[in-house]
Amino acid sequence: MSDAWDGLLARWRAGAAERERERDLPFAAVDELRAQRFGALRLPRTVGGAEASLVDVLARVVELAEVDSNLAHIWRGHIAFVEQLRWDGWHTEAAARWLPRLAAGDVVGNAFSERQETAQLTTRLTDTGHDGLRVTGTKHYTTGSLYADWVHVAAVDASGERVALAVRSDAPGVSIVDDWDGFGQPLTASGTTILDAVAVDPGDVFPLGGHDEDRHRVIGGVYQLTLLAVIAGIARRAVADTVAFVRPRRRTFGFAGETRPVDDPLVQVVVGEISAAASAARRIVLSVAADLDAAAADHDGAALRDIELDVYRAQQTVIELVLAATSRLFEVGGASATSRTLGLDRHWRNVRTIASHNPVLQRVRAVGRFELDGTLPAWQAPGAPTGSLATGSVT
């Protein structure tokens, strides 16, 4: 790792609990990451990228999440956007248009989800003729868009086809509101994005992949593994914060004694459990990422079908491990461990919030059905009607 990267981690590690408590949005940290071209790691060296592997990128996401889980989560949409360009090919017109932007440090936020009674998209892309293409709609859970230069949007065009498009976040008609009220990940600005007849360049309209299930499996895997990498980073921070809490203490479990908490076997067991969960979570995420990267590079459809299920299995395993660990950590210090100033509760709240993005039970059910009768999860594009087996759409 570079000195600049290590310095960034050190600077933003301090005060993470306070920033979250005070809702102090990390614009400056995102600017530092933009300046370090964090979002260009996967780009070709010919444009100034690092040609990093997916494992390298997600390993950095784990490190960033250990510093501040909000800061790492902000980049999820950007990472997936780059992966879509990579899958479609660096030789495409879209890549020729976007590589210079991304290499210069531009950040892409996500605005795919809507709050509707059905999964149908209501955001519309229309051709006005004299004023060109315009997009209108309201998006929710638009993680990272408040910090981004561009917003990646799902919409329906005049023919009823689902499309993706990108608009400048500061374009006339774009309003991004920090109204996310979840009890976790409060600094991700996962709130509302309103698009009011925003002008769209035809060159920034993309297909959503149609029936290319391999593409959906790759992008869906990247979306989910990025979340799991954030959770793995939270687990590592939970270990560090728990150790920092225990080491200076002179008493535990409500009574004083001859044994310091650091020497107490019960405390040692709890810390060991949290450490084991953190290590396992990181290794699971990076192992599955390595397999996904290799299969995507080869466009190996059979391998991608297997890895899709491994992503689902990882989702179940990592989330359950870390949720348990971030709840268990309170056993090391009694009531004092619940201090709001310490903010140890944020680890469980943040994992629980991230885990709600794609229901674990739905994914586990898909794995179970596959094991029983060989039925693969059914992929559906964002905004498609939800079928009984549809487990691959990404939010």
Side-chain angles (χ1 to χ4, degrees), residues 38 41-42 52-62 79 286:
F38 175 72
L41 287 172
R42 284 284 264 168
S53 68
L54 183 60
V55 172
D56 292 336
V57 173
L58 293 185
R60 289 207 176 195
V61 171
V62 173
I79 290 168
L286 298 186

Side-chain angles (χ1 to χ4, degrees), residues 55-185:
V55 172
D56 292 336
V57 173
L58 293 185
R60 289 207 176 195
V61 171
V62 173
E63 289 189 326
L64 200 56
E66 183 179 358
V67 166
D68 186 327
S69 63
N70 297 274
L71 190 54
H73 192 174
I74 286 165
W75 291 86
R76 182 187 182 221
H78 180 98
I79 290 168
F81 182 84
V82 171
E83 215 59 37
Q84 290 174 57
L85 290 175
R86 183 182 175 87
W87 173 265
D88 293 338
W90 297 135
H91 61 281
T92 62
E93 290 184 10
R97 188 177 186 84
W98 278 93
L99 282 173
R101 295 170 176 171
L102 298 171
D106 280 12
V107 178
V108 181
N110 179 61
F112 269 54
S113 298
E114 298 180 7
R115 287 179 181 166
Q116 308 296 340
E117 291 299 319
T118 69
Q120 297 282 5
L121 288 175
T122 62
T123 300
R124 291 288 184 265
L125 176 67
T126 57
D127 188 346
T128 65
H130 60 288
D131 281 333
L133 296 177
R134 299 276 170 166
V135 63
T136 296
T138 299
K139 298 293 189 176
H140 299 277
Y141 313 116
T142 60
T143 303
S145 292
L146 189 65
Y147 306 94
D149 303 285
W150 298 86
V151 184
H152 193 207
V153 179
V156 177
D157 66 15
S159 66
E161 290 296 315
R162 291 178 296 275
V163 297
L165 56 96
V167 294
R168 292 281 310 183
S169 60
D170 58 358
V174 176
S175 300
I176 303 174
V177 185
D178 178 31
D179 58 357
W180 168 240
D181 66 350
F183 61 60
Q185 296 298 93

Side-chain angles (χ1 to χ4, degrees), residues 349-371:
R349 288 188 291 98
N350 289 338
V351 175
R352 181 63 268 174
T353 299
I354 294 170
S356 300
H357 279 65
N358 301 109
V360 175
L361 290 179
Q362 185 186 60
R363 300 299 173 84
V364 174
R365 183 255 183 171
V367 172
R369 178 162 189 179
F370 170 79
E371 297 289 3

Side-chain angles (χ1 to χ4, degrees), residues 11 43 70 122 187 351 382 394:
R11 277 190 300 280
L43 303 189
N70 297 274
T122 62
L187 308 186
V351 175
V394 176

